[in-house]
Amino acid sequence: MSVSSPTLATLPPAGAVVAITGAAQGIGLGLARHFAQAGARVVLSDVNAEACTAARDALRAEGHEVEAAAADVTDAAACERMVDTAVRAFGRLDVMVCNAGVAQVKPFMELQGADWDLHFAVNVKGAFLSLQAAARRMKEQTPLAEGRPRGKVITMASIAARYGAGVMAPYQGPYRASKAAVVSLTQTAAYTLSPDITVNALCPGIVATDMWTRMDRDLAHLNNGREGDVFASRVANVPMGRAQTPQDVAGLALFLASPASDYMTGQSINIDGGLVLS
């Protein structure tokens, strides 16, 4: 039995076209599934072409309209081709979700330039290039409906962009800095592209995905601890009492893609179970 998506009257209209980068696993795949369940037509993009195709086939098997467009978001031409895939398949692109990202665990004093280059290439440059490619197409198309924007962009930041202290800070310098840059990029794009296109950022917290599993494992090895302990200790601090799931993130993403958020742009919204209160 599939998990039910939020059933708000403000969900994106059936048939809305949504492209999602980093969509072959984790949060990206969770967002793709929930947009599809809400009736959207979805274009999955991921640097892993095989996984992208497998995700497409799985969603099609569930009865959804889905296309795949493998792309390296650090390549501007690849981002343009991804957008072209959406337009060829479905006629337009209504929502671009810039989700692709990387994270690593490495002590601050052991970081090298290549670590910074990787994070900023994928998390920041990749978000910019996919956002820009989508915006070019959106500005040429008719609005979603009379009085509505021509398109919407959702970027993926993190609560890691909110503060520099805490137990993870010594191990995630480039990740934290890159996600803070995504917040800034979101604000710049929102101001630049308004009123035609809205741009808002999601800031998730401790999401139970493969990415967190890898970080937990690497931290355990660095500190001679047990795998699972770091993740458990972080979850223990969540006021809502559990780890986050992609479905938790999807509810906010669906809202940002809906008419209910048409007057919202340039915002970075925490969806973290109360870890960061503001």
Side-chain angles (χ1 to χ4, degrees):
M1 180 181 296
S2 61
V3 178
S4 297
S5 296
T7 54
L8 299 174
T10 54
L11 283 177
V17 182
V18 181
I20 305 172
T21 65
Q25 60 186 338
I27 293 176
L29 181 56
L31 293 178
R33 175 165 281 108
H34 283 82
F35 270 109
Q37 289 174 344
R41 294 172 291 174
V42 180
V43 176
L44 306 174
S45 181
D46 200 278
V47 70
N48 186 329
E50 184 177 352
C52 191
T53 299
R56 177 202 65 190
D57 293 346
L59 289 176
R60 282 182 174 177
E62 296 173 13
H64 305 303
E65 290 188 78
V66 184
E67 292 292 337
D72 177 352
V73 293
T74 68
D75 180 349
C79 292
E80 294 286 351
R81 289 193 295 272
M82 171 185 59
V83 172
D84 288 343
T85 296
V87 175
R88 283 197 306 271
F90 302 123
R92 59 184 290 129
L93 177 59
D94 299 312
V95 181
M96 177 76 238
V97 183
C98 306
N99 168 74
V102 296
Q104 71 173 162
V105 168
K106 196 171 186 178
F108 186 80
M109 294 305 294
E110 296 178 15
L111 290 168
Q112 298 178 343
D115 299 311
W116 293 89
D117 292 343
L118 173 64
H119 284 80
F120 275 77
V122 178
N123 296 357
V124 186
K125 178 184 175 182
F128 166 72
L129 291 176
S130 52
L131 183 161
Q132 186 185 59
R136 286 196 181 107
R137 183 70 60 168
M138 290 172 176
K139 287 177 73 68
E140 296 175 353
Q141 65 191 17
T142 57
L144 296 165
E146 185 177 356
R148 298 200 62 210
R150 297 177 186 272
K152 296 194 165 200
V153 176
I154 301 170
T155 62
M156 189 63 65
S158 168
I159 61 167
R162 300 300 198 193
Y163 52 86
V167 65
M168 296 295 292
Y171 303 100
Q172 287 195 301
Y175 178 77
R176 287 175 174 273
S178 70
K179 290 303 184 178
V182 170
V183 169
S184 180
L185 169 64
T186 299
Q187 295 167 350
T188 299
Y191 191 89
T192 303
L193 299 173
S194 61
D196 292 328
I197 301 166
T198 65
V199 188
N200 294 287
L202 300 172
C203 296
I206 312 300
V207 187
T209 62
D210 289 343
M211 180 180 286
W212 242 109
T213 299
R214 290 192 300 271
M215 291 193 298
D216 177 273
R217 179 197 62 212
D218 292 345
L219 278 167
H221 291 168
L222 281 170
N223 296 308
N224 296 317
R226 294 188 307 174
E227 292 187 25
D229 283 356
V230 173
F231 184 75
S233 68
R234 294 292 287 148
V235 172
N237 291 322
V238 177
M240 290 301 292
R242 61 172 175 82
Q244 191 168 0
T245 69
Q247 182 176 0
D248 296 319
V249 185
L252 180 55
L254 289 167
F255 167 75
L256 291 176
S258 77
S261 69
D262 280 358
Y263 198 63
M264 177 184 293
T265 196
Q267 305 306 307
S268 302
I269 309 163
N270 297 343
I271 175 72
D272 64 354
L275 269 175
V276 177
L277 304 176
S278 63

